[in-house]
Amino acid sequence: MTDRHYQQARLARDHRFDGRFFVAVKTTGIYCRPICPAPSPKEQNVRYFETAIAAANAGFRPCLRCRPDSAPASWAWKGTDTTLERAMRLIDDGALINGSVTGLADRLGISSRYLGQLFQRSVGTSPKQYSLYQQVLFAKSLLQQTDLPITQVALASGFNSVRRFNDCFASVLRMTPRSLRRPAGSRSQEPGIRLFLSYRPPYDWAALRDFMQTRLIETLEWCGDDYYGRTFSLTNGASGRFTAWHRPERFGFEVSLEFSQPVALLPVVRTTRRLLDLDADSSTIDAHLAPIQAQLGPERPGLRLPGTWDAFEAGIRAILGQQISVAAARNLVRQLVAEHGELLPGQGHEHRLFPTPATLAQSDLMTLKIPGRRRQSLIDFARFFDTQPEQAADPEHWLALGGIGPWTVNYARMRGLGDSDIWLGSDLGVKKALGQANGAWQPADASPWQSYLTFYMWSLL
């Protein structure tokens, strides 16, 4: 995009470009989203940046009206380097909140020096500064949207001390945390924490909702016409639940979060965004898939990938779903959760958590009416996650386990990790849809959005 393109998108306040670039105003020292409702500045007073952190590095602070921290991340500036994309995803999930850059580099299989070079070349800052910037922007959202005390905001954002939080906040945003507090009268009196998570339209909520409802596990999940919610557990032993209400008129979801104990919220919010696929650039994906969809059936703009909480849950669902119907697989998952899922603390018998790897590894699972080999695959899979969590985090390592093949791994990568380029050509539902399809096209034509093509094939059934 050129400055002329940026100018046209800014003046039109086009929501399709939200998150793809940011507008900085020289006369005020503030940077905004292109959809900011404030009066448009003169072009000679404007600078354009591809990322929010680039605008901050240039000395601009975020607008308090349009809140650039809530703009969905754009694929456009992430580049094509898969190592960089994975590093950014891990940092967004909180890898550097309690970990080190060296440890992150080891997980990626590269040196810390090379990791730093990747970030400097593509993002314009170091991995640690990128992580701190995300933490500060998230803290800004908590200060503006919740009534949490500043001390709890600091802890929820991953800072170990209020002093460190105040110093980072002042250096990054050039303002104090207290200056962002909402008036007491405008704060919600409802329990838990409420946040608003944005997306770039279009968003096909009906398709995602119907997919979730078809696979709904009672007590673990709940879903209605305009909401989806579920329980979840974290590696530090904390647990909780969230409910996300779709607000199409505001292009986002109003999310209520409740926890059993104080936690760093940033990884939870990032996972929720992935589960609802809020960061997809639908206009780009739709334009790429339109020629293929035209040969297969009606176009479905705004398709999103319905996720699961983590790769372990996705793997368990995939193993139980091997070569059987969706309804049969759902019944098996329901039984597994009912028999081995712990009750969510403070919720009585209303909600359960998905079984942990340790729990399933110690069970014989004899009550499940499945072939013995598949039962052993479940146990081996759970033991792998329980004893070697770092290796198990990469689904490619699952192939060494008996009873787990490419379909299981790819299904888990798509739903558990949000991988956008997975084609499930061996899936029974995809095969059925392909039997009704016409046209001269290849799945590779959809790359790097083959996962969305897979979901589109399911939507045709």
Side-chain angles (χ1 to χ4, degrees):
M1 294 178 64
T2 66
D3 281 0
R4 180 171 177 78
H5 295 142
Y6 288 137
Q7 179 186 11
Q8 291 174 342
R10 174 178 70 88
L11 295 177
R13 290 188 170 89
D14 193 331
H15 281 270
R16 293 173 298 175
F17 291 92
D18 188 19
R20 298 190 65 179
F21 71 95
F22 295 85
V23 182
V25 184
K26 304 173 189 176
T27 52
T28 62
I30 293 173
Y31 72 90
C32 302
R33 299 159 68 176
I35 62 169
C36 184
S40 297
K42 296 179 179 179
E43 186 64 21
Q44 62 265 30
N45 295 328
V46 164
R47 286 183 63 185
Y48 297 106
F49 295 91
E50 291 185 352
T51 67
I53 197 169
N57 288 340
F60 295 92
R61 62 181 177 85
C63 174
L64 298 182
R65 189 168 182 181
C66 67
R67 301 206 306 272
D69 50 292
S70 65
S74 171
W75 280 90
W77 62 275
K78 289 183 178 180
T80 58
D81 192 310
T82 55
T83 300
L84 176 65
E85 289 183 15
R86 187 182 174 207
M88 294 175 67
R89 183 171 64 246
L90 290 172
I91 292 175
D92 289 345
D93 290 342
L96 293 186
I97 291 179
N98 296 313
S100 65
V101 174
T102 301
L104 174 62
D106 290 341
R107 291 180 64 179
L108 297 169
I110 59 177
S111 68
S112 57
R113 180 182 178 184
Y114 180 60
L115 178 61
Q117 291 173 344
L118 283 177
F119 269 80
Q120 287 292 348
R121 183 172 66 244
S122 301
V123 187
T125 190
S126 68
K128 189 62 177 177
Q129 288 300 316
Y130 174 81
S131 177
L132 286 174
Y133 190 74
Q134 302 306 315
Q135 290 174 244
V136 169
L137 287 185
F138 181 65
K140 177 175 171 291
S141 294
L142 294 180
L143 289 167
Q144 291 181 298
Q145 299 188 52
T146 75
D147 57 357
L148 288 174
I150 289 179
T151 299
Q152 291 187 26
V153 170
L155 296 176
S157 304
F159 292 93
N160 294 324
S161 72
V162 176
R163 181 176 180 179
R164 171 66 169 158
F165 168 64
N166 287 333
D167 290 344
C168 288
F169 205 93
S171 63
V172 172
L173 299 185
R174 296 168 180 82
M175 60 182 71
T176 64
R178 196 169 299 279
S179 67
L180 289 175
R181 288 263 64 154
R182 295 186 304 164
S186 64
R187 298 175 191 171
S188 172
Q189 301 301 315
E190 298 181 26
I193 299 172
R194 299 183 78 91
L195 296 172
F196 188 79
L197 305 182
S198 302
Y199 60 73
R200 278 187 300 276
Y203 189 102
D204 193 340
W205 161 245
L208 185 140
R209 178 200 61 209
D210 293 346
F211 185 93
M212 293 293 204
Q213 284 181 329
T214 304
R215 293 156 179 80
L216 189 73
I217 309 301
E218 287 82 358
T219 71
L220 178 75
E221 302 169 289
W222 45 96
C223 188
D225 289 343
D226 62 348
Y227 67 88
Y228 170 81
R230 63 161 294 150
T231 66
F232 58 84
S233 57
L234 306 175
T235 54
N236 64 357
S239 57
R241 63 175 182 171
F242 79 82
T243 303
W245 288 271
H246 188 216
R247 300 291 185 252
E249 71 282 358
R250 298 175 60 192
F251 305 118
F253 285 83
E254 186 177 353
V255 180
S256 171
L257 292 159
E258 296 181 41
F259 302 91
S260 62
Q261 56 183 279
V263 296
L265 292 179
L266 182 56
V268 175
V269 172
R270 294 292 186 186
T271 302
T272 303
R273 292 192 67 88
R274 175 187 55 76
L275 192 150
L276 297 172
D277 199 11
L278 300 184
D279 293 326
D281 188 349
S282 283
S283 59
T284 299
I285 298 171
D286 292 342
H288 190 81
L289 298 183
I292 299 177
Q293 291 184 4
Q295 301 178 61
L296 296 173
E299 292 188 16
R300 292 295 300 266
L303 282 179
R304 305 294 173 118
L305 298 180
T308 60
W309 188 255
D310 55 27
F312 175 72
E313 179 181 332
I316 293 293
R317 287 179 181 251
I319 294 172
L320 288 175
Q322 291 173 354
Q323 299 178 338
I324 60 175
S325 67
V326 171
R330 179 186 59 198
N331 290 335
L332 289 173
V333 178
R334 284 175 176 169
Q335 182 182 349
L336 195 75
V337 171
E339 295 178 355
H340 301 283
E342 296 182 5
L343 291 171
L344 182 65
Q347 299 296 322
H349 293 273
E350 184 178 359
H351 297 306
R352 288 185 178 272
L353 302 170
F354 195 83
T356 64
T359 299
L360 296 184
Q362 297 169 7
S363 174
D364 58 16
L365 303 181
M366 290 303 295
T367 58
L368 293 178
K369 295 181 180 181
I370 56 177
R373 183 177 179 182
R374 189 165 303 165
R375 185 181 297 111
Q376 189 60 47
S377 294
L378 285 172
I379 296 173
D380 291 343
F381 182 72
R383 287 175 179 167
F384 187 34
F385 265 86
D386 186 37
T387 59
Q388 303 179 63
E390 289 293 331
Q391 278 199 336
D394 184 354
E396 291 303 317
H397 293 150
W398 303 357
L399 294 171
L401 302 176
I404 294 182
W407 180 88
T408 303
V409 168
N410 287 332
Y411 182 91
R413 290 184 68 90
M414 183 174 68
R415 295 204 61 201
L417 298 178
D419 193 321
S420 66
D421 203 23
I422 298 297
W423 170 246
L424 293 180
S426 62
D427 181 82
L428 295 178
V430 172
K431 286 184 175 180
K432 182 177 180 180
L434 285 173
Q436 309 167 8
N438 298 310
W441 59 274
Q442 297 295 326
D445 297 338
S447 186
W449 315 112
Q450 292 185 88
S451 297
Y452 294 88
L453 179 60
T454 296
F455 188 45
Y456 175 77
M457 301 304 292
W458 284 337
S459 73
L460 296 177
L461 298 176

